[in-house]
Amino acid sequence: EVTMVRDELDREWSERFEVEEGLTVGEFLNERGIERQEVLVSRDEQILSETAELEEGDEVNVFDVIAGG
């Protein structure tokens, strides 16, 4: 089970998901319809790449990326 804490700028919420061993961050996001290029994902205050594997008991934070010009 992995807990995802989602920060969408205007609200924050968390949800728990059952995941298969070896599931990557990219696969996890794809399964939930979240565009990888639009978010940063962290675990224990470390940014994760899309190839990082999730582990049982992880709490990952998913933050919207803000771009401006």
Side-chain angles (χ1 to χ4, degrees):
E1 185 172 277
V2 168
T3 301
M4 176 180 71
V5 178
R6 184 78 165 100
D7 186 340
E8 296 182 315
L9 302 178
D10 60 343
R11 70 183 184 116
E12 183 177 308
W13 52 274
S14 66
E15 191 171 347
R16 292 192 171 138
F17 297 95
E18 293 295 325
V19 297
E20 293 183 26
E21 185 174 334
L23 187 73
T24 67
V25 168
E27 293 165 337
F28 178 80
L29 295 174
N30 286 339
E31 289 178 1
R32 279 142 197 88
I34 300 170
E35 295 289 331
R36 177 66 179 112
Q37 63 272 20
E38 295 179 2
V39 297
L40 288 176
V41 180
S42 69
R43 173 179 55 206
D44 298 325
E45 299 183 10
Q46 297 292 316
I47 300 296
L48 300 177
S49 73
E50 65 184 276
T51 59
E53 291 185 5
L54 298 174
E55 300 174 4
E56 178 69 26
D58 273 349
E59 179 174 294
V60 293
N61 294 282
V62 180
F63 301 95
D64 284 349
V65 175
I66 302 172

